[in-house]
Amino acid sequence: MTPISQVSGRAYPFGRKNVDTDVIIPAQWLKTVTREGLGQGCLESVKAEPGNVFTDPEYAGSPLLIAGDNFGCGSSREHAAWALLDMGVTCVIAPSFSDIFSGNAFKNGILTVVLPQEAIDRLMEVAKTDPISVDLENQSVTTPFQDRFLFEIDPFRKHCLLGGLDEVGLTLAQDREISAYEGKAREALPFLASPVLHAA
Amino acid sequence: MTTQPRTLYQKIWDAHVVDTRDDGTCLIYIDRHIVHEVTSPQAFAALRASGRKVRRPDLHIAVPDHNLPTTARRDASGNRVPIADPQSAQQLDLLEKNAPEFGIRYIGDADIEQGIVHVVGPEQGFSLPGATIVCGDSHTACNGGLGALAFGIGTSEVEHVMATQTLLLKQSKTFQVNVEGKLGAGVSPKDVILHIIGLVGTAGGTGYVIEYTGNVFREMSIEGRLTVSNMSIEAGARAGLIAPDETTFAYVKGRPYAPVGAEWDKAVAWWKSLATDPGATYDKSIHIRAEDIEPTVTWGTSPEDTAPIGGVVPAPEDFEDASKRDAVKHSLEYMGLTPGTKLTDIAVENVFIGSCTNSRIEDIRAAAAILKGRKKADNVKWAIVVPGSGLVKAQAEAEGLDKIILEAGLEWREPGCSACLAMNPDKVPAGERCASTSNRNFTGRQGPGARTHLVSPAMAAAAAVTGHLADVRELTEQA
Ligand code: SF4
């Protein structure tokens, strides 16, 4: 997974509340075979609204998204995180997130930043014209106008995101324990440890 | 390691702990992973994107089953018959490419070993007693019939197992389901598990691993035990277990991946030590009399909606719990049933004999025994028998069972998941009923608007020849 320390650039000033995972990625996109390509279906219904920020060339390719309360509620589909990532979004800023979504976002290397509504309102303002900068190391969001908002983040998640460590990566870091187990199992349970195809 | 008396589950768990974290979460080693086409594409793609390998490709096998059509896969000149649904075709195509790319053995769509994941595992000796086994399908619990700790996983976990051969897990509680006594005539393993689910409910096993104990399971064949453990998931449990014994060893011995020679002896010695120790305790237990179990069918849209075939469709008022009353009301509406109707008066237009629950040779034999010399009822429009694997198919054909099935007017198909789930061309039309040997009677499971009645293979055959849900005992007594 790509490590995250800074996310800087334009932000989609979306700001909507209670955006559920069905809106983030509608069900008909779930039969795909890759995580890639879901960006097309990401926020499909919003993109169809006249004047929406996602099809406005001003914001094309923004790495940041500013949302309203309870972003990512609804079903547990991991596709929602995949879709945002495929659209190029690596950081979402909102007053609150659904637990499952923020877990899935984290698993896939997306930074979710929680800030109070006043800060969100100010960032929405700035985002219309200027870039925003998120610094994970210092846990701050800044603007070219000297705004500086600090945010909280679980230290473990911060560590993983900074190091680009996903769950698989973390377990791989325990390679020594896994190899030790395999060595032990080869002795004690050889019939489980290495299956051999005997018949043709 | 503890010297306290331990359960079968605890012993398998202890033998697989790689690491224990402060919060009690354990890194558990996974011995076997069976891969199919639906839940694996994103996992393979993630490995590729991160430049990771499958840690132990020899501990994985891949086989397509979920959306493979059950009609002929090769034309007369041996060419592959194209798959109409482009998304199914793409998933199947990807599995065929991904598996060898990552060094995993791929069993092809027309190979004799091809079949439903949970049929192939035990049949190939790939699933072994005492092993930890996973697959991206919840009915992986099936393998528990061999005394393996087996459960379904999601796409992220598929990737985790491929890359690390482990999973992060918290230990489950243990639930003993004890059935003692003598099963009556016409009562099959499917009836036993349907009866259990009816008693325990679909939430009864939530947070637990079930261990099935008692003489009924000890005397049951391995295929029967696989049927029982398969539906542990419908009782809310993540896995089921039956202690491995001589019947298990005899079943496993000589299978393609089964250990041989000194390893075999070592395996048997270990397997024998796995049975729950006297004095070990379960977190909860239920005791059932075998004599109370009758041929059982479901009438609703939850697997707990069971009744003995001699019964009637219940009314919502028959249930104490208000939310259950409500669920029953919706269920009966969906199923198009009126309370008080005799179950044997429910006509069916479709019959499905197959799925990982009931598609092994004993199931096909049980169905054929009822079909023999009889004809499909005229009101039954669609009746198919789908063997669980190419090997089951070949065995059935060697025994002439295919002829009995065809003569009775049922179809004899190629192996796959088929009408168990509406993902391939085998679907039950909206508003029609199906007597089905599969494991889920959820709304829309066999197709949008399809009405499923879960039954045993013999009961499904009985429905096919009578045209309605029927008591198989009446057919066997006449014969
Ligand atoms: S037959 Fe049904 S339950 Fe079994 S593996 Fe296939 S889809 Fe899953």
mmCIF file of all heavy atoms in Angstrom, chain B residues 193-218:
data_model
loop_
_atom_site.group_PDB
_atom_site.id
_atom_site.type_symbol
_atom_site.label_atom_id
_atom_site.label_comp_id
_atom_site.label_asym_id
_atom_site.label_seq_id
_atom_site.Cartn_x
_atom_site.Cartn_y
_atom_site.Cartn_z
ATOM 1 N N ILE B 193 -30.175 -32.268 10.394
ATOM 2 C CA ILE B 193 -29.691 -30.887 10.519
ATOM 3 C C ILE B 193 -30.850 -29.881 10.391
ATOM 4 O O ILE B 193 -30.882 -28.873 11.099
ATOM 5 C CB ILE B 193 -28.511 -30.577 9.559
ATOM 6 C CG1 ILE B 193 -27.910 -29.201 9.849
ATOM 7 C CG2 ILE B 193 -28.874 -30.713 8.099
ATOM 8 C CD1 ILE B 193 -27.303 -29.020 11.213
ATOM 9 N N LEU B 194 -31.824 -30.154 9.539
ATOM 10 C CA LEU B 194 -32.978 -29.237 9.454
ATOM 11 C C LEU B 194 -33.711 -29.191 10.789
ATOM 12 O O LEU B 194 -34.108 -28.131 11.275
ATOM 13 C CB LEU B 194 -33.932 -29.662 8.330
ATOM 14 C CG LEU B 194 -33.471 -29.390 6.891
ATOM 15 C CD1 LEU B 194 -34.447 -30.008 5.886
ATOM 16 C CD2 LEU B 194 -33.329 -27.889 6.617
ATOM 17 N N HIS B 195 -33.854 -30.366 11.409
ATOM 18 C CA HIS B 195 -34.516 -30.449 12.716
ATOM 19 C C HIS B 195 -33.733 -29.641 13.752
ATOM 20 O O HIS B 195 -34.312 -28.887 14.535
ATOM 21 C CB HIS B 195 -34.618 -31.923 13.126
ATOM 22 C CG HIS B 195 -35.302 -32.145 14.434
ATOM 23 N ND1 HIS B 195 -36.674 -32.223 14.549
ATOM 24 C CD2 HIS B 195 -34.800 -32.284 15.689
ATOM 25 C CE1 HIS B 195 -36.983 -32.410 15.831
ATOM 26 N NE2 HIS B 195 -35.859 -32.458 16.547
ATOM 27 N N ILE B 196 -32.400 -29.790 13.728
ATOM 28 C CA ILE B 196 -31.544 -29.055 14.678
ATOM 29 C C ILE B 196 -31.716 -27.546 14.488
ATOM 30 O O ILE B 196 -31.901 -26.795 15.450
ATOM 31 C CB ILE B 196 -30.057 -29.457 14.504
ATOM 32 C CG1 ILE B 196 -29.843 -30.906 14.963
ATOM 33 C CG2 ILE B 196 -29.133 -28.504 15.267
ATOM 34 C CD1 ILE B 196 -28.473 -31.486 14.605
ATOM 35 N N ILE B 197 -31.675 -27.093 13.228
ATOM 36 C CA ILE B 197 -31.794 -25.653 12.955
ATOM 37 C C ILE B 197 -33.160 -25.140 13.415
ATOM 38 O O ILE B 197 -33.279 -24.050 13.966
ATOM 39 C CB ILE B 197 -31.545 -25.342 11.464
ATOM 40 C CG1 ILE B 197 -30.108 -25.724 11.083
ATOM 41 C CG2 ILE B 197 -31.798 -23.868 11.153
ATOM 42 C CD1 ILE B 197 -29.871 -25.844 9.598
ATOM 43 N N GLY B 198 -34.187 -25.976 13.211
ATOM 44 C CA GLY B 198 -35.530 -25.607 13.665
ATOM 45 C C GLY B 198 -35.555 -25.371 15.173
ATOM 46 O O GLY B 198 -36.227 -24.466 15.669
ATOM 47 N N LEU B 199 -34.822 -26.192 15.911
ATOM 48 C CA LEU B 199 -34.799 -26.064 17.377
ATOM 49 C C LEU B 199 -33.909 -24.916 17.846
ATOM 50 O O LEU B 199 -34.267 -24.147 18.730
ATOM 51 C CB LEU B 199 -34.271 -27.367 18.010
ATOM 52 C CG LEU B 199 -35.186 -28.582 17.971
ATOM 53 C CD1 LEU B 199 -34.461 -29.784 18.558
ATOM 54 C CD2 LEU B 199 -36.478 -28.310 18.736
ATOM 55 N N VAL B 200 -32.725 -24.829 17.250
ATOM 56 C CA VAL B 200 -31.711 -23.887 17.708
ATOM 57 C C VAL B 200 -31.980 -22.478 17.189
ATOM 58 O O VAL B 200 -31.705 -21.480 17.858
ATOM 59 C CB VAL B 200 -30.315 -24.386 17.229
ATOM 60 C CG1 VAL B 200 -29.261 -23.326 17.388
ATOM 61 C CG2 VAL B 200 -29.932 -25.653 17.971
ATOM 62 N N GLY B 201 -32.538 -22.385 15.985
ATOM 63 C CA GLY B 201 -32.784 -21.098 15.338
ATOM 64 C C GLY B 201 -31.548 -20.613 14.604
ATOM 65 O O GLY B 201 -30.429 -21.060 14.882
ATOM 66 N N THR B 202 -31.754 -19.685 13.675
ATOM 67 C CA THR B 202 -30.629 -19.243 12.840
ATOM 68 C C THR B 202 -29.652 -18.353 13.602
ATOM 69 O O THR B 202 -28.573 -18.058 13.110
ATOM 70 C CB THR B 202 -31.113 -18.468 11.592
ATOM 71 O OG1 THR B 202 -31.989 -17.444 12.046
ATOM 72 C CG2 THR B 202 -31.812 -19.364 10.619
ATOM 73 N N ALA B 203 -30.020 -17.922 14.810
ATOM 74 C CA ALA B 203 -29.078 -17.119 15.600
ATOM 75 C C ALA B 203 -28.512 -17.931 16.755
ATOM 76 O O ALA B 203 -27.609 -17.486 17.450
ATOM 77 C CB ALA B 203 -29.756 -15.864 16.121
ATOM 78 N N GLY B 204 -29.030 -19.149 16.934
ATOM 79 C CA GLY B 204 -28.660 -19.960 18.100
ATOM 80 C C GLY B 204 -27.175 -20.231 18.218
ATOM 81 O O GLY B 204 -26.635 -20.373 19.315
ATOM 82 N N GLY B 205 -26.505 -20.321 17.073
ATOM 83 C CA GLY B 205 -25.086 -20.658 17.096
ATOM 84 C C GLY B 205 -24.172 -19.456 16.904
ATOM 85 O O GLY B 205 -22.960 -19.629 16.776
ATOM 86 N N THR B 206 -24.757 -18.253 16.877
ATOM 87 C CA THR B 206 -23.934 -17.061 16.623
ATOM 88 C C THR B 206 -22.838 -16.918 17.682
ATOM 89 O O THR B 206 -23.119 -16.945 18.881
ATOM 90 C CB THR B 206 -24.815 -15.795 16.585
ATOM 91 O OG1 THR B 206 -25.841 -16.004 15.608
ATOM 92 C CG2 THR B 206 -23.998 -14.563 16.201
ATOM 93 N N GLY B 207 -21.602 -16.806 17.220
ATOM 94 C CA GLY B 207 -20.465 -16.680 18.139
ATOM 95 C C GLY B 207 -19.892 -18.017 18.588
ATOM 96 O O GLY B 207 -18.926 -18.063 19.333
ATOM 97 N N TYR B 208 -20.508 -19.109 18.104
ATOM 98 C CA TYR B 208 -20.078 -20.441 18.519
ATOM 99 C C TYR B 208 -19.541 -21.259 17.346
ATOM 100 O O TYR B 208 -19.862 -20.996 16.189
ATOM 101 C CB TYR B 208 -21.260 -21.239 19.087
ATOM 102 C CG TYR B 208 -21.804 -20.696 20.380
ATOM 103 C CD1 TYR B 208 -22.764 -19.688 20.383
ATOM 104 C CD2 TYR B 208 -21.367 -21.207 21.603
ATOM 105 C CE1 TYR B 208 -23.278 -19.191 21.577
ATOM 106 C CE2 TYR B 208 -21.876 -20.719 22.798
ATOM 107 C CZ TYR B 208 -22.828 -19.711 22.778
ATOM 108 O OH TYR B 208 -23.341 -19.222 23.954
ATOM 109 N N VAL B 209 -18.768 -22.288 17.710
ATOM 110 C CA VAL B 209 -18.487 -23.379 16.794
ATOM 111 C C VAL B 209 -19.250 -24.567 17.361
ATOM 112 O O VAL B 209 -19.203 -24.824 18.567
ATOM 113 C CB VAL B 209 -16.969 -23.659 16.728
ATOM 114 C CG1 VAL B 209 -16.692 -25.022 16.126
ATOM 115 C CG2 VAL B 209 -16.281 -22.565 15.907
ATOM 116 N N ILE B 210 -20.015 -25.249 16.502
ATOM 117 C CA ILE B 210 -20.825 -26.375 16.978
ATOM 118 C C ILE B 210 -20.013 -27.664 16.913
ATOM 119 O O ILE B 210 -19.343 -27.928 15.919
ATOM 120 C CB ILE B 210 -22.096 -26.541 16.107
ATOM 121 C CG1 ILE B 210 -23.003 -25.308 16.230
ATOM 122 C CG2 ILE B 210 -22.846 -27.820 16.483
ATOM 123 C CD1 ILE B 210 -24.245 -25.360 15.339
ATOM 124 N N GLU B 211 -20.059 -28.460 17.987
ATOM 125 C CA GLU B 211 -19.559 -29.830 17.868
ATOM 126 C C GLU B 211 -20.751 -30.774 17.967
ATOM 127 O O GLU B 211 -21.533 -30.711 18.920
ATOM 128 C CB GLU B 211 -18.530 -30.174 18.955
ATOM 129 C CG GLU B 211 -18.004 -31.608 18.739
ATOM 130 C CD GLU B 211 -16.982 -32.091 19.773
ATOM 131 O OE1 GLU B 211 -16.355 -31.250 20.453
ATOM 132 O OE2 GLU B 211 -16.830 -33.327 19.885
ATOM 133 N N TYR B 212 -20.914 -31.621 16.945
ATOM 134 C CA TYR B 212 -22.009 -32.579 16.924
ATOM 135 C C TYR B 212 -21.526 -33.853 17.599
ATOM 136 O O TYR B 212 -20.510 -34.430 17.188
ATOM 137 C CB TYR B 212 -22.437 -32.877 15.487
ATOM 138 C CG TYR B 212 -22.901 -31.636 14.744
ATOM 139 C CD1 TYR B 212 -22.009 -30.882 13.985
ATOM 140 C CD2 TYR B 212 -24.228 -31.205 14.828
ATOM 141 C CE1 TYR B 212 -22.427 -29.734 13.326
ATOM 142 C CE2 TYR B 212 -24.650 -30.058 14.165
ATOM 143 C CZ TYR B 212 -23.745 -29.329 13.416
ATOM 144 O OH TYR B 212 -24.158 -28.193 12.760
ATOM 145 N N THR B 213 -22.228 -34.261 18.660
ATOM 146 C CA THR B 213 -21.828 -35.460 19.392
ATOM 147 C C THR B 213 -23.014 -36.408 19.515
ATOM 148 O O THR B 213 -24.154 -36.042 19.241
ATOM 149 C CB THR B 213 -21.354 -35.090 20.816
ATOM 150 O OG1 THR B 213 -22.456 -34.504 21.513
ATOM 151 C CG2 THR B 213 -20.177 -34.105 20.790
ATOM 152 N N GLY B 214 -22.711 -37.629 19.931
ATOM 153 C CA GLY B 214 -23.776 -38.605 20.141
ATOM 154 C C GLY B 214 -23.689 -39.733 19.125
ATOM 155 O O GLY B 214 -23.028 -39.613 18.089
ATOM 156 N N ASN B 215 -24.369 -40.831 19.442
ATOM 157 C CA ASN B 215 -24.237 -42.031 18.601
ATOM 158 C C ASN B 215 -24.748 -41.810 17.178
ATOM 159 O O ASN B 215 -24.285 -42.453 16.239
ATOM 160 C CB ASN B 215 -24.950 -43.224 19.256
ATOM 161 C CG ASN B 215 -26.459 -43.094 19.180
ATOM 162 O OD1 ASN B 215 -27.052 -42.181 19.735
ATOM 163 N ND2 ASN B 215 -27.082 -43.993 18.436
ATOM 164 N N VAL B 216 -25.701 -40.896 17.016
ATOM 165 C CA VAL B 216 -26.259 -40.681 15.675
ATOM 166 C C VAL B 216 -25.162 -40.223 14.703
ATOM 167 O O VAL B 216 -25.089 -40.698 13.565
ATOM 168 C CB VAL B 216 -27.423 -39.659 15.735
ATOM 169 C CG1 VAL B 216 -27.770 -39.113 14.354
ATOM 170 C CG2 VAL B 216 -28.643 -40.329 16.349
ATOM 171 N N PHE B 217 -24.279 -39.346 15.166
ATOM 172 C CA PHE B 217 -23.197 -38.876 14.290
ATOM 173 C C PHE B 217 -22.083 -39.911 14.196
ATOM 174 O O PHE B 217 -21.463 -40.068 13.154
ATOM 175 C CB PHE B 217 -22.676 -37.517 14.767
ATOM 176 C CG PHE B 217 -23.765 -36.488 14.829
ATOM 177 C CD1 PHE B 217 -24.230 -36.008 16.042
ATOM 178 C CD2 PHE B 217 -24.370 -36.041 13.656
ATOM 179 C CE1 PHE B 217 -25.274 -35.091 16.100
ATOM 180 C CE2 PHE B 217 -25.408 -35.125 13.701
ATOM 181 C CZ PHE B 217 -25.865 -34.652 14.925
ATOM 182 N N ARG B 218 -21.849 -40.612 15.293
ATOM 183 C CA ARG B 218 -20.811 -41.650 15.246
ATOM 184 C C ARG B 218 -21.177 -42.734 14.238
ATOM 185 O O ARG B 218 -20.323 -43.290 13.570
ATOM 186 C CB ARG B 218 -20.614 -42.279 16.637
ATOM 187 C CG ARG B 218 -19.765 -41.420 17.573
ATOM 188 C CD ARG B 218 -19.229 -42.234 18.741
ATOM 189 N NE ARG B 218 -20.293 -42.872 19.526
ATOM 190 C CZ ARG B 218 -20.972 -42.267 20.512
ATOM 191 N NH1 ARG B 218 -20.674 -41.029 20.842
ATOM 192 N NH2 ARG B 218 -21.913 -42.911 21.173
#
